[in-house]
Amino acid sequence: MSFRPDPWACNADLHCHSNMSDGVLEPAALADRAADNGVELFSLTDHDEVCGQQQAADAARARGLQYVGGVEISVSWGGETVHVVGLRIDWTDPSLCAGLARTRAGRDTRAREIARLLEIAGVPDAWAGALRHVGNPALISRTHFARHIVECGLCDDVGEVFRKYLVEGKPGYVEHRWARLTEAIEWIRGAGGVAVLAHPGRYRFNDTALWALVSEFKAAGGEAIEVVCGSHTRDQFRRFAKVALEAGLAASRGADFHSPGERHTELGQLPLLPDSVIPVWRDWPEFLSRQAA
Ligand code: AMP
Ligand code: MN
Ligand code: MN
Ligand code: MN
């Protein structure tokens, strides 16, 4: 009889960021940290960027950690920014790479406008200051501005900067048009990957709008939803486990770790998925081969 590992017992962490997007650690350092924390199945999911994938994969494999290619795509839906994680992607896929390049291109113009508005609001040296935190010139994020503002002493932490400067209605907010939900899912599926609706508890939707999002996501080929993640409370683990079941979606798990110094949930240190949901990795060869080696 062949041995089949238990998918519910697996310490999978399938959502985090390196300094190729708005995290602070190099891709290889993240893989090392994941291994040190007992993660068994790992993915780096930088925002709109895959240039750290090879480094993360090599470092993970060197530590005996199973790796799947990942990305987190910024999408505009229902007047909000929604994030879609792609897992098990072929990160060299040309249409995926072209779509991500287009998504990144808009960030530069947006960042220049954010910098202009922040300077008017009294943030010194906003453009150059944010750039000092950027690890990949192709990807400037609001987080880089937030780190600069903390460094200036205007706020105590990144969360406070978002509340005071960077969210809708605040002085540094710039409206932006990201990818469409359907195209992001197409890029992921075209690259052989699985589309996962990221941190559903973070969106400001009422139940009706959230259900519309989940239905549209599924109809467009989305296959899973994050149930246990760094931005969910325990109540939200239960709530989104129910949503996963009712919608017929698999469940994913990931810390959404960005930086050791910013009160993020630590890699691999989350509760396991509840028994009621189907772990998205249940039939993946990377998971099944884990203990065969
Ligand atoms: P961007 O893609 O440039 O709009 O930046 C989005 C990123 O900002 C997210 O991926 C988070 O890492 C971070 N972020 C968004 N909202 C908050 C918040 N309220 N507190 C801390 N970080 C946040
Ligand atoms: Mn981020
Ligand atoms: Mn996100
Ligand atoms: Mn993320």
Side-chain angles (χ1 to χ4, degrees):
M1 202 176 79
S2 68
F3 174 77
R4 233 185 127 84
D6 175 2
W8 286 274
C10 175
N11 189 350
D13 197 317
L14 304 175
H15 188 156
C16 69
H17 300 274
S18 76
N19 65 341
M20 295 300 103
S21 66
D22 63 347
V24 303
L25 301 179
E26 303 262 344
L30 274 168
D32 274 331
R33 195 178 181 96
D36 290 344
N37 288 353
V39 172
E40 297 159 293
L41 180 63
F42 179 59
S43 185
L44 167 66
T45 55
D46 276 317
H47 297 285
D48 309 317
E49 178 61 281
V50 288
C51 71
Q53 290 299 306
Q54 195 60 55
Q55 242 199 77
D58 291 346
R61 285 171 191 145
R63 294 288 306 267
L65 191 54
Q66 292 293 339
Y67 188 78
V68 295
V71 68
E72 181 175 21
I73 305 181
S74 310
V75 159
S76 293
W77 188 91
E80 276 258 15
T81 300
V82 163
H83 287 169
V84 177
V85 164
L87 296 174
R88 283 195 90 231
I89 50 160
D90 166 6
W91 60 81
T92 66
D93 180 81
S95 337
L96 171 70
C97 291
L100 295 179
R102 264 189 283 136
T103 308
R104 283 194 303 271
R107 281 183 174 271
D108 200 71
T109 328
R110 168 194 185 235
R112 285 175 197 277
E113 181 61 8
I114 293 176
R116 193 182 68 80
L117 295 173
L118 286 177
E119 290 199 8
I120 294 170
V123 175
D125 206 21
W127 177 250
L131 279 187
R132 280 197 289 275
H133 292 273
V134 166
N136 166 11
L139 203 129
I140 310 183
S141 147
R142 284 185 292 169
T143 312
H144 299 119
F145 287 99
R147 292 190 180 126
H148 169 62
I149 291 172
V150 170
E151 208 169 61
C152 290
L154 290 167
C155 289
D156 289 336
D157 57 50
V158 163
E160 186 186 347
V161 179
F162 272 86
R163 286 193 299 281
K164 291 191 174 161
Y165 290 93
L166 295 175
V167 297
E168 203 173 335
K170 298 300 170 180
Y173 180 75
V174 173
E175 180 87 41
H176 192 73
R177 196 102 173 111
W178 301 107
R180 283 194 306 276
L181 181 66
T182 47
E183 63 186 350
I185 296 172
E186 272 166 29
W187 300 338
I188 292 167
R189 289 172 63 88
V194 173
V196 183
L197 186 61
H199 43 62
R202 282 237 313 247
Y203 310 129
R204 295 171 304 170
F205 294 133
N206 61 23
D207 280 359
T208 313
L210 186 84
W211 200 250
L213 169 63
V214 167
S215 311
E216 228 178 275
F217 174 76
K218 180 153 189 208
E223 293 173 69
I225 185 169
E226 282 184 349
V227 169
V228 174
C229 68
S231 40
H232 283 175
T233 62
R234 279 177 186 272
D235 279 350
Q236 287 173 324
F237 298 161
R238 281 190 286 274
R239 177 172 175 222
F240 291 106
K242 253 182 93 189
V243 170
L245 273 180
E246 283 173 26
L249 293 169
S252 191
R253 175 179 187 263
D256 204 358
F257 179 79
H258 284 67
S259 154
E262 288 171 2
R263 295 191 305 201
H264 287 284
T265 301
E266 184 52 72
L267 281 169
Q269 294 183 4
L270 301 142
L272 294 170
L273 284 180
D275 292 344
S276 56
V277 297
I278 305 294
V280 64
W281 55 83
R282 188 175 65 169
D283 298 319
W284 290 356
E286 294 83 1
F287 164 70
L288 293 171
S289 68
R290 194 165 53 88
Q291 297 173 17

